[in-house]
Amino acid sequence: MPRPKTKTELIEASNSSYQKIVDLIANLPEETRSEDFNFDTSKLKEVHWKRDHNVRDVLVHLYEWQRLLLDWIKNNQSGKEQDFLPAGYNWRNYGEMNQQFWQKHQTTSLPEAEKLLAQSHKETMKLLDTFSEEQLFQKKVFPWTGNNALATYFIANTSSHYDWALKKLRKFQRSLKKK
């Protein structure tokens, strides 16, 4: 899916991809939804292929990144300066943060993960809607976004991240058909 270039495109892409995730999970055989992924990851280089073991892991990953986005925007809007990534993390070591998210949710059930993501998606879309096209897509509107437009962060944590999740979930779905 092409990168959204307008507020309308961003909303549509985010909602559409989110719904695809919900539908894909609903169409998985119920007894497989909580199973560990059974596909070969040995040739896949990205760390996330080995980190996320099941559908729940993918959903809580999305949820935690949306919580980062929501907290970052709300705090900065209220005058409490905050970097996007929590203290101790940067774009070189955020994989460690992802591992912490994974660890945090090992006792979260799949139904709870689905509720958490539904809630954060709804909150994220509601917050997104409060910004104008210019506030979203022009750079340097907000000092706390640095050289990026605010939409860059929304895209990364909604439509693009959902597309990432869909690739992983579809790979799992295809692997079930091979059983």
Side-chain angles (χ1 to χ4, degrees):
M1 184 172 276
R3 185 175 177 85
K5 293 184 177 17
T6 67
K7 180 178 177 178
T8 301
E9 287 177 3
L10 177 52
I11 291 169
E12 288 174 3
S14 298
N15 284 328
S16 172
S17 292
Y18 172 75
Q19 192 58 51
K20 286 176 186 175
I21 290 171
V22 170
D23 293 345
L24 188 151
I25 294 168
N27 287 319
L28 290 173
E30 194 163 339
E31 66 277 7
T32 66
R33 292 178 192 165
S34 295
E35 282 183 12
D36 279 353
F37 295 148
N38 60 353
F39 48 80
D40 182 20
T41 60
S42 62
K43 295 180 182 164
L44 302 169
K45 297 199 184 319
E46 297 95 343
V47 173
H48 68 86
W49 288 105
K50 291 176 179 50
R51 180 194 65 227
D52 299 328
H53 298 190
N54 50 48
V55 173
R56 181 224 34 228
D57 291 347
V58 173
L59 299 184
V60 296
H61 177 85
L62 297 170
Y63 163 76
E64 287 291 348
W65 276 86
Q66 287 181 351
R67 291 298 339 148
L68 286 177
L69 175 71
L70 292 164
D71 293 344
W72 175 67
I73 293 173
K74 288 176 184 174
N75 283 329
N76 279 291
Q77 280 186 312
S78 68
K80 182 183 173 200
E81 279 192 39
Q82 173 184 321
D83 290 332
F84 183 81
L85 295 176
Y89 297 107
N90 56 50
W91 295 111
R92 288 182 299 284
N93 72 355
Y94 72 94
E96 296 169 21
M97 180 186 69
N98 284 336
Q99 192 62 37
Q100 291 296 318
F101 291 158
W102 180 86
Q103 188 66 44
K104 174 182 173 183
H105 287 283
Q106 288 308 290
T107 58
T108 301
S109 67
L110 177 58
E112 182 62 19
E114 291 172 312
K115 287 178 193 167
L116 290 170
L117 182 58
Q119 173 194 4
S120 66
H121 173 77
K122 185 177 179 181
E123 283 182 59
T124 300
M125 299 313 293
K126 185 177 178 182
L127 182 59
L128 168 62
D129 199 42
T130 67
F131 294 101
S132 70
E133 186 94 21
E134 295 76 27
Q135 289 174 313
L136 286 166
F137 287 91
Q138 285 184 7
K139 292 181 178 185
K140 299 184 181 183
V141 171
F142 302 105
W144 37 274
T145 61
N147 291 325
N148 294 311
L150 182 58
T152 303
Y153 295 92
F154 274 105
I155 292 166
N157 290 285
T158 57
S159 59
S160 290
H161 223 169
Y162 292 157
D163 290 344
W164 164 86
L166 281 165
K167 285 178 190 168
K168 187 170 278 199
L169 296 174
R170 285 180 180 136
K171 187 169 184 65
F172 177 54
Q173 185 181 44
R174 285 190 306 274
S175 74
L176 295 173
K177 293 176 183 174
K178 294 177 183 176
K179 277 186 167 181

